[in-house]
């Protein structure tokens, strides 16, 4: 070593002695972080060495003018290579079980340190802020776990779930929102489907720790005027959606633990329409879809009124976007689901739901499709009696019969097909004929003699339309029967009957039921008109009788056994009189 080199030589810095606490910090952090940096540095140097060697070979082999045209690596390319190396390292680490253990250990350490600093210096944020930033960074790093659902059982085993859920009550909402964001990614449906064992392990752990109640408590304190907290609300609802898809029975528990109340409050808030309001309507629809207890709870919480108030805006205004239109449809679906619980029909009646639906039908806005479905649900079966009579009283016949006579033309955002529209209208009229008594029934029957029996003509037009559809389905079934081997005949018959119902039989049954009711209950001119048209078009009374006998033998689930027996006898009596 010459004099110049000796003079320029600097001895390496002597490492400082650290306290025990610092050593402990290094045990956790250096193990997880420094190794990664070292590997990244080593890999970068290896790549640089390889690049230098390649350049050297080119210089040896090629003439001087070629060397001049060789492009050196640019700074941008260098950055891109470093980024790729870093990403590769991270991806490599998340697949490693020991790395996951170190990461969770580091998370536990930082969560504990932050908790201690907050207790020690409650009124001095500058003292605990650094530990909070570190904790936040570690939560962000834990997103890597979502790429390997097979490792979820290890995360559960290491008790990371209780520690994470504890942070939902953290004083700093940024930390709580970061945890929500992480949980949303961990429970992503596509990721959960990758590992059944991982999914079950994680969801069991979350439910054991009362995740629904904790998420609802956190929702209560989030301020949606703050962008990050608004995103936290959205991600929280996404967690509920993910969990409900995997565990549908969770819907009842979530509603009991406060979610249903929160959703109704969120829908009621007078804020401009946004993604969170849409999502709230969607989650409410999921909660009510298949959980009878939730329908009852909605009625008890006066939720029917809340939904009607939200829908009232759309009687004279169309939604301004596809998203808002979707929210409106979700609210209509919520009403339909809730009306399947009989006592809610009374709430609907008292809340003037019939009047609102009637106005929507008259206004001819996009809400008309949804209101038709709701009316069908409100008036069907034995529990629809009061609604049917009330609908006649509020002059609903003036609204429903124009829709019966002429199905509206397609609109740009049509929800119901022609067949669905006709099914709902015919079902509403059939329900009124089944449930109305006294003057209301007389007003209904007299409608079929107006304008030279035009409504009877329309009935027979629908009869032939749907009879033709059913005959087509029957031909397909006969064709399929020949191709199939003999199996369980009862199950096969049931499948075929359902197929025929979907293919038009259900609407045909309703149309023929109306024909029977008006022919036997109305003036004799109605029956004469029916016979005249059937003869003209080559139809027969025998076909209608056959359809109705089949209908009587296959009455659905509406009402109890006693009602079904009475209804069956009533239909068969109508057939005999016809």
């Amino acid at each position: 070593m010459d004099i110049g080199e000796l003079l320029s030589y600097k001895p390496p810095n002597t490492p400082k002695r650290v306290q025990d606490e610092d050593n402990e910090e290094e045990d956790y952090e250096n193990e997880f972080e420094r190794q990664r940096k070292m590997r990244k540095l080593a890999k970068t140097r290896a790549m640089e060495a390889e690049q230098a060697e390649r350049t050297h070979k080119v210089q040896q082999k090629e003439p001087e003018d070629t060397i001049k045209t060789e492009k050196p690596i640019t700074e941008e390319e260098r950055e891109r290579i470093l980024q790729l190396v870093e990403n590769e390292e991270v991806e490599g680490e998340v697949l490693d079980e020991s790395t996951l253990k170190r990461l969770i250990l580091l998370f536990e350490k930082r969560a504990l340190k932050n908790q201690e600093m907050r207790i020690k210096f409650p009124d001095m944020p500058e003292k605990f802020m650094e530990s909070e930033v570190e904790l936040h960074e570690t939560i962000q790093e834990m997103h890597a776990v979502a790429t390997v659902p097979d490792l979820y059982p290890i995360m559960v085993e290491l008790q990371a779930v209780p520690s994470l859920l504890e942070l939902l009550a953290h004083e700093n909402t940024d930390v709580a929102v970061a945890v929500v964001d992480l949980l949303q990614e961990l429970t992503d449906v596509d990721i959960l489907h990758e590992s059944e064992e991982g999914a079950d392990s994680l969801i069991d752990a979350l439910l054991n720790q009362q995740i629904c109640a904790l998420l609802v408590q956190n929702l209560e304190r989030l301020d949606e005027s703050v962008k990050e907290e608004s995103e936290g609300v959205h991600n929280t609802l996404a967690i509920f959606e993910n969990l409900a898809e995997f565990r549908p029975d969770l819907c009842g528990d979530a509603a009991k633990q406060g979610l249903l109340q929160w959703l109704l409050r969120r829908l009621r808030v007078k804020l401009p329409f946004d993604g969170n309001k849409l999502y709230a309507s969607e989650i409410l629809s999921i909660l009510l879809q298949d959980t009878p207890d939730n329908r009852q709870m909605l009625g008890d919480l006066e939720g029917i009124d809340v939904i009607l108030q939200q829908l009232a805006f759309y009687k004279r205004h169309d939604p301004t976007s596809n998203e808002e239109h979707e929210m409106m449809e979700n609210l209509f679906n919520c009403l339909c689901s809730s009306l399947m619980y009989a006592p809610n029909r009374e709430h609907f009646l008292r809340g003037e739901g019939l009047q609102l639906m009637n106005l929507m039908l008259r206004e001819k806005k996009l809400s008309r499709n949804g209101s038709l479905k709701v009316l069908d649900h409100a008036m069907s079966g034995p529990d629809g009696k009061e609604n049917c009579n009330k609908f006649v009283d509020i002059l609903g016949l003036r609204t429903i019969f124009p829709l019966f006579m002429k199905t509206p033309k397609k609109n740009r955002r049509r929800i119901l097909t022609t067949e669905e529209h006709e099914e709902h209208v015919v079902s509403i009229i059939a329900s009124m004929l089944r449930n109305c008594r006294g003057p209301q029934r007389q007003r209904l029957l007299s409608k079929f003699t107006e304008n030279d029996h035009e409504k009877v003509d329309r009935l027979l037009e629908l009869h032939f339309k749907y009879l033709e559809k059913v005959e087509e389905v029957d031909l397909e079934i006969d064709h399929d029967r020949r191709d199939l081997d003999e199996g369980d005949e009862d199950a096969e018959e049931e499948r075929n009957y359902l197929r025929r119902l979907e293919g038009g039989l259900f609407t045909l049954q309703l149309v023929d039921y109306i024909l029977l009711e008006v022919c036997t209950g109305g003036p004799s001119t109605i029956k004469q008109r029916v016979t005249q048209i059937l003869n003209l078009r080559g139809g027969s009374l025998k076909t209608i009788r056959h359809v109705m006998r089949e209908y009587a033998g296959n009455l659905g689930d509406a009402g109890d056994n006693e009602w079904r027996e009475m209804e069956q006898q009533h239909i068969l009596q109508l057939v005999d009189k016809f």
Side-chain angles (χ1 to χ4, degrees):
M1 187 180 281
D2 59 25
I3 298 295
E5 285 176 321
L6 271 170
L7 289 171
S8 64
Y9 173 74
K10 286 184 182 176
N13 290 332
T14 309
K16 292 179 185 175
R17 290 184 69 81
V18 290
Q19 299 299 319
D20 289 348
E21 198 175 308
D22 292 335
N23 277 333
E24 199 178 336
E25 178 73 26
E26 279 197 356
D27 284 347
Y28 287 107
E29 293 188 35
N30 292 2
E31 192 68 26
F32 178 68
E33 290 173 13
R34 193 189 294 169
Q35 282 187 22
R36 183 173 66 187
K37 288 174 186 171
M38 292 289 284
R39 284 202 298 277
K40 187 171 81 175
L41 191 60
K43 198 154 187 175
T44 309
R45 283 178 178 165
M47 287 184 76
E48 284 175 348
E50 193 181 328
Q51 177 72 22
E53 192 180 341
R54 203 161 52 240
T55 308
H56 180 64
K57 282 180 182 175
V58 169
Q59 285 173 345
Q60 282 184 332
K61 284 182 183 176
E62 299 194 7
E64 200 172 329
D65 59 331
T66 314
I67 297 167
K68 284 175 187 172
T69 60
E70 178 76 25
K71 286 185 180 176
I73 185 167
T74 65
E75 194 60 37
E76 194 181 329
E77 287 171 333
R78 184 189 177 87
E79 282 298 317
R80 199 161 65 244
I81 290 168
L82 285 171
Q83 189 64 44
L84 284 168
V85 171
E86 189 173 349
N87 289 344
E88 202 174 300
E89 284 296 329
V90 172
E91 283 170 21
E93 284 179 355
V94 297
L95 297 171
D96 183 9
E97 192 177 309
S98 61
T99 308
L100 172 66
K101 289 180 178 177
R102 286 201 302 273
L103 175 58
I104 289 172
L105 211 55
L106 178 63
F107 161 69
E108 295 280 7
K109 164 74 178 164
R110 288 185 168 176
L112 187 63
K113 184 179 176 184
N114 176 241
Q115 190 181 18
E116 287 171 353
M117 294 300 279
R118 270 190 168 271
I119 292 168
K120 201 171 178 181
F121 307 105
D123 303 319
M124 300 170 72
E126 65 277 7
K127 293 280 189 182
F128 59 69
M129 194 47 70
E130 189 184 344
S131 69
E132 214 135 284
V133 170
E134 286 176 347
L135 174 61
H136 196 275
E137 283 173 0
T138 312
I139 294 168
Q140 297 304 322
E141 284 188 26
M142 287 180 75
H143 280 264
V145 183
T147 61
V148 202
D150 287 333
L151 293 180
Y152 283 3
I154 293 163
M155 185 176 74
V156 170
E157 203 179 300
L158 293 170
Q159 295 296 307
V161 171
S163 304
L164 274 171
L165 294 182
E166 214 173 276
L167 293 178
L168 286 173
H170 197 281
E171 291 88 338
N172 185 346
T173 52
D174 286 350
V175 172
V177 165
V179 171
V180 165
D181 191 25
L182 172 60
L183 289 170
Q184 189 272 323
E185 202 166 323
L186 290 172
T187 59
D188 183 275
V189 173
D190 293 334
I191 289 169
L192 291 179
H193 277 301
E194 288 176 26
S195 170
E196 194 177 328
E197 186 194 349
D200 286 337
S201 171
L202 177 65
I203 292 173
D204 286 342
L206 291 171
L207 295 180
N208 288 340
Q209 295 297 318
Q210 304 293 310
I211 184 173
C212 297
L214 294 172
L215 287 173
V216 172
Q217 284 165 21
N218 189 47
L219 277 173
E220 304 277 6
R221 68 183 184 135
L222 293 181
D223 178 3
E224 289 188 61
S225 62
V226 179
K227 183 174 178 286
E228 290 75 17
E229 295 190 26
S230 178
E231 286 171 4
V233 169
H234 193 273
N235 286 332
T236 303
L237 295 176
I239 296 169
F240 280 116
E241 186 181 20
N242 293 341
L243 293 176
E245 183 161 334
F246 256 79
R247 299 279 174 88
D249 53 336
L250 166 136
C251 289
D253 294 333
K256 284 173 192 159
Q257 289 171 33
L259 180 60
L260 191 60
Q261 281 176 291
W262 184 88
L263 290 169
L264 290 172
R265 275 204 304 277
R266 178 61 183 83
L267 288 171
R268 195 184 256 158
V269 172
K270 289 182 179 176
L271 288 173
F273 172 78
D274 64 356
N276 283 350
K277 191 166 187 178
L278 167 61
Y279 217 165
S281 70
E282 204 171 307
I283 301 300
L284 182 61
S285 180
I286 290 169
L287 290 186
L288 297 171
Q289 205 165 12
D290 297 308
T291 315
D293 286 353
N294 288 354
R295 295 170 192 158
Q296 182 179 348
M297 194 188 298
L298 183 85
D300 296 342
L301 293 170
E302 297 184 352
I304 305 283
D305 283 347
V306 174
I307 297 171
L308 289 172
Q309 284 160 17
Q310 293 305 308
L311 284 170
F313 175 77
Y314 299 107
K315 70 184 171 196
R316 292 201 175 92
H317 305 90
D318 275 342
T320 54
S321 65
N322 287 336
E323 287 75 19
E324 193 177 357
H325 187 232
E326 192 182 334
M327 185 198 73
M328 180 183 79
E329 291 302 323
N330 286 337
L331 293 175
F332 277 125
N333 289 338
C334 290
L335 263 188
C336 290
S337 295
S338 65
L339 290 169
M340 291 168 79
Y341 175 64
N344 282 344
R345 309 227 182 157
E346 198 181 325
H347 292 297
F348 179 75
L349 184 64
R350 282 207 315 269
E352 299 193 342
L354 284 170
Q355 286 88 330
L356 177 60
M357 298 303 123
N358 193 32
L359 280 170
M360 284 177 167
L361 290 180
R362 286 184 185 175
E363 288 294 334
K364 300 178 183 176
K365 297 288 181 188
L366 285 171
S367 56
R368 177 163 64 182
N369 296 314
S371 60
L372 204 55
K373 285 194 296 184
V374 170
L375 281 175
D376 190 1
H377 279 78
M379 295 159 77
S380 65
D383 302 306
K385 199 171 186 176
E386 285 184 47
N387 281 318
C388 285
N389 286 301
K390 183 69 175 176
F391 190 69
V392 177
D393 291 342
I394 63 168
L395 308 179
L397 299 182
R398 292 182 188 179
T399 313
I400 202 71
F401 274 103
L403 293 172
F404 169 70
M405 290 303 295
K406 189 179 179 186
T407 302
K409 288 179 182 173
K410 289 188 177 180
N411 57 42
R412 57 201 160 85
R413 277 185 281 183
R414 188 188 179 93
I415 300 301
L416 298 177
T417 62
T418 300
E419 284 72 23
E420 286 170 333
H421 183 278
E422 287 169 356
E423 181 191 310
H424 288 305
V425 172
V426 168
S427 179
I428 289 166
I429 295 170
S431 293
M432 287 192 289
L433 282 164
R434 188 178 281 128
N435 286 321
C436 289
R437 293 289 173 267
Q440 288 92 344
R441 183 176 176 79
Q442 287 310 310
R443 284 161 66 183
L444 182 58
L445 288 170
S446 66
K447 279 280 170 188
F448 290 89
T449 58
E450 287 176 359
N451 299 332
D452 190 25
H453 301 81
E454 64 175 7
K455 293 170 186 68
V456 177
D457 296 353
R458 172 65 172 157
L459 266 178
L460 285 157
E461 184 188 321
L462 291 171
H463 166 79
F464 284 111
K465 173 183 174 178
Y466 286 96
L467 182 62
E468 195 177 313
K469 283 179 176 291
V470 174
E471 284 168 351
E472 283 173 16
V473 176
D474 287 342
L475 283 173
E476 286 172 18
I477 289 171
D478 287 342
H479 183 267
D480 292 346
R481 265 205 194 105
R482 285 198 294 272
D483 296 342
L484 287 170
D485 298 329
E486 285 185 21
D488 185 349
E489 284 186 21
D490 288 344
E492 185 64 25
E493 282 301 316
E494 195 173 324
R495 272 196 299 273
N496 288 336
Y497 185 66
L498 288 171
R499 191 170 156 188
R500 293 174 70 224
L501 283 175
E502 286 166 11
L505 178 61
F506 181 63
T507 308
L508 177 65
Q509 289 171 342
L510 292 170
V511 168
D512 288 359
Y513 175 79
I514 296 170
L515 277 169
L516 256 65
E517 284 279 12
V518 296
C519 284
T520 54
S524 58
T525 53
I526 294 176
K527 176 76 176 285
Q528 288 164 16
R529 187 58 165 254
V530 170
T531 312
Q532 184 189 349
I533 296 171
L534 285 173
N535 291 336
L536 274 172
R537 294 194 56 172
S540 74
L541 295 172
K542 196 188 289 182
T543 307
I544 297 172
R545 289 194 194 103
H546 172 72
V547 169
M548 291 319 294
R549 283 199 185 95
E550 186 180 32
Y551 179 46
N554 291 280
L555 283 175
D557 298 329
D560 54 23
N561 289 333
E562 189 183 341
W563 180 84
R564 272 202 297 278
E565 282 174 23
M566 283 172 62
E567 187 62 18
Q568 204 169 22
Q569 284 174 354
H570 175 62
I571 293 166
L572 293 173
Q573 282 168 3
L574 289 176
V575 171
D576 291 340
K577 288 179 191 173
F578 187 61

